[in-house]
Amino acid sequence: MPLTSADFTAIGLTLQLAALTTVLLLLFGTPIAWWLARTRSWLKGPIGAVVALPLVLPPTVIGFYLLVTLGPHGPIGQLTQSLGLGTLPFSFAGLVVGSVFYSLPFVVQPIQNAFAAIGERPLEVAATLRASPWDSFFTVALPLARPGFITAAVLGFAHTIGEFGVVLMIGGNIPGKTSVVSVQIFNHVEALEYSQAHWLAGGMLLFSFLILLTLHLRSRPQPLGA
């Protein structure tokens, strides 16, 4: 059999992690993207830079500082311990926290660009019709920004599935708990089990290609009259 039970467990864990991370990123990333698209505050630059940090930092650097921050001697680790929650590193919850931070720009930036592309005019028209800011956001901004949300969800999901450095640093390699597909490929290669590594790596390659192809087809200009 090309795939072992551990491989299927890793696939299920990876899909669960990617789905949960994408939902959380859409919930928390949307207000950040809205603020970045609308604000004129001097804080826009620093906060935008923080959001974009995972694009340029090595995953091991992010994973290391998350490990320190969430660990027993870190500020968040001490808080979770005082609340009786234990520590997050080397747990599925720790993987979620690391994935949310590492995939943040892949969700926030497409939504931010979609909000910015709306412009002021539609919101001004809604205001003249006595729509509240909340009404304008939910009935005007969100529907017009729908393509950006779709792109953000697809990129966030795909990027989380492909993580390696961050999840290995923050979650380790615990079978059935933190060993995701990328870590499982590493395990097979380390054990010289190239055939099984090929099956998982080939699946990841095909998945990534289909994601990029889908985004390319969605962004292609439609012919006139279509």
Side-chain angles (χ1 to χ4, degrees), residues 135-146:
D135 289 335
S136 298
F137 178 76
F138 284 105
T139 62
V140 178
L142 284 185
L144 291 176
R146 181 173 173 270

Side-chain angles (χ1 to χ4, degrees), residues 78-105:
Q78 291 180 352
L79 175 62
T80 56
Q81 290 180 99
S82 66
L83 295 174
L85 302 176
T87 55
L88 296 178
F90 309 108
S91 69
F92 182 77
L95 290 186
V96 173
V97 173
S99 299
V100 165
F101 183 78
Y102 188 51
S103 295
L104 186 64

Side-chain angles (χ1 to χ4, degrees), residues 45-226:
I47 292 178
V50 170
V51 169
L53 270 178
L55 295 175
V56 295
L57 276 179
T60 50
V61 173
I62 298 173
F64 170 72
Y65 281 111
L66 285 174
L67 187 63
V68 171
T69 304
L70 302 176
H73 303 295
I76 297 180
Q78 291 180 352
L79 175 62
T80 56
Q81 290 180 99
S82 66
L83 295 174
L85 302 176
T87 55
L88 296 178
F90 309 108
S91 69
F92 182 77
L95 290 186
V96 173
V97 173
S99 299
V100 165
F101 183 78
Y102 188 51
S103 295
L104 186 64
F106 293 88
V107 172
V108 170
Q109 291 185 353
I111 299 176
Q112 178 187 346
N113 293 336
F115 282 147
I118 294 173
E120 298 289 340
R121 182 62 178 167
L123 300 175
E124 291 173 353
V125 171
T128 61
L129 297 175
R130 298 184 179 180
S132 68
W134 282 106
D135 289 335
S136 298
F137 178 76
F138 284 105
T139 62
V140 178
L142 284 185
L144 291 176
R146 181 173 173 270
F149 277 90
I150 295 174
T151 299
V154 172
L155 286 177
F157 187 87
H159 189 254
T160 302
I161 283 183
E163 291 175 7
F164 176 71
V166 169
V167 294
L168 186 62
M169 290 287 288
I170 195 70
N173 186 5
I174 306 174
K177 189 175 181 181
T178 63
S179 183
V180 294
V181 169
S182 58
V183 176
Q184 191 67 7
I185 293 173
F186 175 79
N187 291 338
H188 285 314
V189 172
E190 196 173 38
L192 302 179
E193 298 168 346
Y194 289 159
S195 176
Q196 291 165 321
H198 271 306
W199 278 95
L200 287 177
M204 292 279 285
L205 179 62
L206 178 62
F207 173 79
S208 301
F209 172 77
L210 292 176
I211 288 295
L212 293 175
L213 178 62
T214 300
L215 292 177
H216 172 74
L217 293 176
R218 280 187 54 81
S219 62
R220 188 173 58 184
Q222 296 295 321
L224 294 178

